[in-house]
Amino acid sequence: MTTEAERSNAFRAFRNRNYALFFAGQSTSQIGTWMQRTAVSWVIYSITHSASMLGLAVFAQQFPSFLFSLLGGIASDRYDRRKILLLTQTASLIQSVLLAILTFTNHYMIWEIMALSVILGIVNAFDTPARQPMVHDLVSNKEDITNALALNSAMVNIARLVGPALSGIVLQSFGAHTCFMLNAVSFLAVLASLLLLKLPPFIPPVTQKKVATELSEGFQYLRQTPRIGAIILLMMCMAMFVFPYDTLTPVFAKTIFNGDARTFGYIASAVGLGAVTGSFFLASLKKSADLTNILLISIGVLGAGLMGFSQCTSFLTALPFAVIIGIASLTPATVSITIIQIEAAANMRGRVMSYVAMAYFGMLPLGSLLAGAASQQISAPWTMLLQGAISIIIMLIFSRYLKRERMNKKEIVEAEHIVTDKV
């Protein structure tokens, strides 16, 4: 029996050996990933001085994930997820090495960086739907699932704190190619952790259905679970209109604050510091916590943080708002994924996560293009101010629907308990 002290332990998921190994490998790799993201953005903006090109770079990496994520979800439900991750992580390692070679020789062009970003986007379309549901396979005590998902978020956010700061220093001292090579090396930790996992033999589905049939079943499942569909729609809206705020960060660092690569790295790290704080808050939540309220409040806080940051004219005054943005920025996605992972049927989990990836990776690149184009027309500060206002509007629109759906579900569960007691 799990005691109350164990339930409130923010690190209780580490009792599971497989999860602890997976966490160690992924945390190392995530730091490298954030170093690469920071370096790519800085290289492109330093060459082009164009916010629109920054948006196009994000589009090049993430739109392919939108196109192929449904296939990635089907693959996740059909095949051994560990083998899928071994393939995707190896491919990501090769992509990083190619970026390092290009920038080291100093004979690269923007289209070459964009082409490698497209390749990474395709790889991520198969990586994300396999990686997210795999947490269920790594945690033996199912009461630890929520904690494990929150720790996953903390892992990403710690990397978001450390990676950009390291990247800023490395960019200034050694160049972008070093960032890319360090990211390539970090994938070795992931591959090692995956090989060390002790998992039961993979049992493939008894019947192999056509891809079109499995896609149809997935969409039908979403129609039958409107709460999950509503949360995915909320993520689409946030990815399109709010989350691309980070497309504008290099513009603020270089143009508004008259800074350099270190300035850019410190702003990203301040966002990461806030995100780490928010992640450990989520990890310490009890099982009875109201995730719907936390989701909605975080969206409102993010909107307020973006509006405050947009009006700053100096680096120092912007840092507190960057921390606020960080506290709220990844919380909506983390809580949304947690709710979906808990409520989705086991045989649909891979496909549902592919719809989440499709919503996120489909709208975010379009939003990045929109944010880049808008900042060229009305300036980066006004664009970010508008993003903050939209975030608050999204919170208000979805607040009534999600709370109503939550009450309906609660009533159904209570009715089932009454029937069970009578029987």
Side-chain angles (χ1 to χ4, degrees), residues 9 36 87 99-100 114 139 146 149 163 172 182 184 203 225 251 313 339 343 346 386 391 398:
N9 180 5
Q36 176 164 309
L87 289 172
L99 267 177
M114 296 290 188
V139 177
T146 302
L149 293 170
Q172 202 73 9
L182 288 173
I203 302 174
T225 54
V251 182
T313 55
I339 294 172
E343 298 185 6
L386 189 59
S391 184
F398 279 89

Side-chain angles (χ1 to χ4, degrees), residues 54 67 84 86 128 141 204 220 271 308 313 317 323 330 386 408 419:
L54 282 173
L67 295 178
I84 293 173
L86 285 170
T128 302
N141 186 346
Q220 185 178 356
V271 174
T313 55
T317 57
V323 174
L330 292 188
L386 189 59
N408 291 341
V419 171

Side-chain angles (χ1 to χ4, degrees), residues 51-69 114 117-118 121-122 124 235-247 356-374 387:
S52 296
M53 288 302 296
L54 282 173
L56 185 60
V58 175
F59 181 88
Q61 178 176 325
Q62 294 177 341
F63 194 70
S65 296
F66 165 72
L67 295 178
F68 294 99
S69 60
M114 296 290 188
S117 295
V118 169
I122 296 172
N124 285 337
M235 288 190 69
M236 288 179 66
C237 294
M238 293 294 292
M240 179 71 177
F241 299 109
V242 182
F243 290 152
Y245 71 85
D246 57 358
T247 304
V356 173
M358 184 177 68
Y360 186 82
F361 291 122
M363 294 299 106
L364 191 62
L366 295 176
S368 296
L369 285 177
L370 182 62
Q387 288 174 318

Side-chain angles (χ1 to χ4, degrees), residues 7 49 62 71-72 176 197 332 389 399:
R7 288 194 190 100
H49 300 285
Q62 294 177 341
L71 292 177
L197 295 179
S399 176

Side-chain angles (χ1 to χ4, degrees), residues 103-418:
T103 49
F104 179 73
T105 57
N106 208 29
H107 293 294
Y108 60 90
M109 299 176 68
I110 292 297
W111 74 264
E112 293 171 323
I113 296 177
M114 296 290 188
L116 287 172
S117 295
V118 169
I119 292 171
L120 184 61
I122 296 172
V123 171
N124 285 337
F126 291 87
D127 182 86
T128 302
R131 180 162 38 84
Q132 293 284 0
M134 196 172 176
V135 173
H136 288 261
D137 303 326
L138 303 175
V139 177
S140 54
N141 186 346
K142 298 311 173 187
E143 287 188 356
D144 294 338
I145 291 292
T146 302
N147 178 250
L149 293 170
L151 287 173
N152 271 7
S153 173
M155 167 181 64
V156 173
N157 294 329
I158 290 172
R160 189 175 184 173
L161 168 65
V162 177
L166 284 176
S167 185
I169 295 170
V170 173
L171 275 170
Q172 202 73 9
S173 304
F174 305 104
H177 63 276
T178 307
C179 291
F180 301 141
M181 186 52 69
L182 288 173
N183 184 40
V185 172
S186 74
F187 283 112
L188 297 177
V190 184
L191 295 172
S193 68
L194 288 170
L195 292 171
L196 289 171
L197 295 179
K198 293 181 179 179
L199 297 173
F202 173 72
I203 302 174
V206 177
T207 57
Q208 289 285 350
K209 300 176 183 178
K210 294 181 179 179
V211 172
T213 302
E214 295 201 20
L215 289 176
S216 176
E217 286 179 352
F219 284 115
Q220 185 178 356
Y221 179 73
L222 286 185
R223 287 198 298 269
Q224 294 169 350
T225 54
R227 177 172 161 82
I228 292 178
I231 292 174
I232 292 176
L233 180 60
L234 182 149
M235 288 190 69
M236 288 179 66
C237 294
M238 293 294 292
M240 179 71 177
F241 299 109
V242 182
F243 290 152
Y245 71 85
D246 57 358
T247 304
L248 307 175
T249 307
V251 182
F252 275 90
K254 194 174 184 71
T255 305
I256 307 297
F257 303 147
N258 297 315
D260 55 20
R262 285 193 180 92
T263 309
F264 179 38
Y266 291 147
I267 293 173
S269 293
V271 174
L273 175 62
V276 169
T277 304
S279 295
F280 282 117
F281 164 72
L282 292 175
S284 64
L285 289 176
K286 295 182 179 179
K287 190 177 180 181
S288 59
D290 190 335
L291 293 179
T292 302
N293 267 346
I294 293 171
L295 169 63
L296 295 169
I297 290 170
S298 66
I299 292 172
V301 172
L302 177 57
L306 289 172
M307 295 174 77
F309 187 96
S310 70
Q311 299 306 298
C312 294
T313 55
S314 73
F315 168 63
L316 292 178
T317 57
L319 286 180
F321 289 105
V323 174
I324 293 172
I325 291 170
I327 291 173
S329 60
L330 292 188
T331 302
T334 303
V335 174
S336 295
I337 289 171
T338 302
I339 294 172
I340 291 169
Q341 291 262 38
I342 291 171
E343 298 185 6
N347 65 320
M348 288 288 176
R349 206 166 279 139
R351 270 168 284 182
V352 169
M353 286 310 302
S354 73
Y355 298 139
V356 173
M358 184 177 68
Y360 186 82
F361 291 122
M363 294 299 106
L364 191 62
L366 295 176
S368 296
L369 285 177
L370 182 62
S375 68
Q376 293 287 102
Q377 297 297 319
I378 62 173
S379 79
W382 278 104
T383 301
M384 188 174 285
L385 181 68
L386 189 59
Q387 288 174 318
I390 292 173
S391 184
I392 293 173
I393 292 170
I394 289 172
M395 176 197 69
L396 295 174
I397 291 173
F398 279 89
S399 176
R400 292 183 63 185
Y401 180 80
L402 287 178
K403 287 183 178 180
R404 185 170 68 247
E405 282 295 317
R406 181 186 57 189
M407 290 302 297
N408 291 341
K409 184 176 179 181
K410 185 178 178 182
E411 289 168 3
I412 291 170
V413 171
E414 288 175 351
E416 289 175 349
H417 283 313
I418 291 172

